[in-house]
């Protein structure tokens, strides 16, 4: 009889554990469904970025070593807007850098974080992007020389970061954000700010945003 009672107690414990596990799984499922409904209803839109201005302060290409070296200094002005009416954006990291034909040519300039962008808010940042003596692929050096000889150069300002969405008191997990802004410089005209090689920024451009 004692042995039977012991088995009965074990069975009750196992049933209690199964009930507790079922309750926890149900609560987790409910929380997931609620979060999915909130996301589908609010459907956060990516922040919008515009490259408003850029000044090419330095662009020096040298062949003093076995590989070309590029020294670049560019100051850019980028505006970001949160188009969502009910969703805020937390920027936990934003790294700015410049590239030429997909090769990074400056060091990353990181903005002080975190940055919170409320509903419809606009933020404007003007980081300086510098790349002293960056090893440069020979075929890219040839392409850049041809561009400069023709009186223009196309570069890209890129942003690599991490964001979170905020709805009321709820905040999402981290998402990777990647922004690409084309920067087109052409031979200077009258009454325009002139940078290295007599080049000026042509016109503000909208940026491509991936989250």
């Amino acid at each position: 009889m004692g042995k039977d009672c012991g088995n009965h107690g074990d069975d009750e414990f196992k049933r209690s554990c199964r009930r507790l596990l079922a309750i926890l799984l149900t609560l987790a499922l409910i929380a997931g469904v609620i979060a999915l409904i909130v996301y589908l209803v609010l459907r956060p839109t990516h922040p919008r970025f515009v490259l408003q201005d850029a000044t090419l302060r330095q662009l020096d290409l040298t062949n003093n070593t076995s590989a070309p070296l590029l020294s670049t200094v560019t100051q850019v002005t980028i505006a970001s807007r949160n188009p969502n009416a009910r969703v805020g954006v937390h920027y936990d990291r934003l790294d700015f850098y410049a590239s030429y034909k997909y090769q990074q040519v400056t060091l990353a300039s990181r903005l002080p974080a975190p940055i919170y962008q409320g509903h419809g808010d606009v933020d404007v940042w003007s980081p300086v992007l510098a790349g002293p003596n960056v090893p440069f692929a020979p075929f890219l050096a040839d392409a850049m020389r041809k561009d400069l000889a023709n009186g223009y150069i196309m570069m890209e300002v890129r942003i690599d970061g991490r964001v979170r969405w905020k709805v009321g008191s709820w905040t999402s997990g981290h998402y990777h954000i990647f922004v690409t802004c084309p920067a087109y410089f052409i031979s200077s005209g009258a009454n325009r700010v002139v940078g290295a090689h007599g080049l000026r920024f042509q016109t503000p451009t909208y940026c491509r945003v991936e989250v």
Side-chain angles (χ1 to χ4, degrees):
M1 290 293 293
K3 185 176 181 179
D4 292 338
C5 290
N7 290 338
H8 180 70
D10 290 343
D11 291 341
E12 283 294 330
F13 177 74
K14 291 178 180 178
R15 281 195 292 270
S16 298
C17 288
R18 285 195 291 269
R19 283 195 294 269
L20 178 60
L21 181 60
I23 292 172
L24 293 176
L25 290 175
T26 301
L27 291 175
L29 180 61
I30 292 173
V33 170
I34 292 174
L36 179 61
I37 291 174
V38 169
Y39 177 83
L40 292 176
V41 170
L42 298 177
R43 199 176 290 274
T45 301
H46 299 166
R48 294 172 182 168
F49 290 77
V50 177
L51 178 60
Q52 294 183 331
D53 195 14
T55 302
L56 196 59
R57 295 181 177 177
Q58 179 185 9
L59 187 67
D60 295 330
L61 187 60
T62 61
N63 281 317
N64 296 332
T65 61
S66 57
L69 297 176
L70 179 67
S71 293
T72 308
V73 178
T74 305
Q75 182 166 15
V76 300
T77 300
I78 292 182
S80 170
R81 179 178 178 271
N82 175 14
N84 296 285
R86 295 183 294 270
V87 182
V89 183
H90 282 287
Y91 296 99
D92 292 322
R93 177 175 61 82
L94 286 175
D95 292 333
F96 291 70
Y97 64 92
S99 67
Y100 175 77
K101 296 187 184 297
Y102 303 103
Q103 177 174 334
Q104 183 173 340
V105 296
T106 69
L107 300 174
S109 177
R110 178 169 295 185
L111 293 185
I115 298 170
Y116 178 71
Q117 195 172 59
H119 316 149
D121 285 356
V122 176
D123 290 285
V124 179
W125 305 301
S126 296
V128 175
L129 312 180
N133 295 322
V134 175
F136 207 46
F139 75 94
L140 290 179
D142 291 339
M144 180 173 286
R145 290 190 187 94
K146 290 178 181 178
D147 288 347
L148 294 175
N150 290 324
Y152 72 90
I153 189 171
M154 171 69 80
M155 301 182 73
E156 291 181 328
V157 178
R158 298 176 180 265
I159 306 173
D160 190 345
R162 290 170 67 83
V163 299
R164 289 175 294 152
W165 309 112
K166 186 177 187 300
V167 182
S169 60
W170 176 81
T171 302
S172 73
H174 285 98
Y175 289 84
H176 180 246
I177 184 170
F178 193 71
V179 182
T180 304
C181 309
Y184 190 48
F185 299 90
I186 62 175
S187 296
S188 61
N191 301 321
R192 297 299 299 270
V193 176
V194 179
H197 295 273
L199 298 174
R200 62 173 174 82
F201 181 65
Q202 185 183 31
T203 185
T205 54
Y206 288 97
C207 308
R208 185 176 71 251
V209 182
E210 301 174 62
V211 178

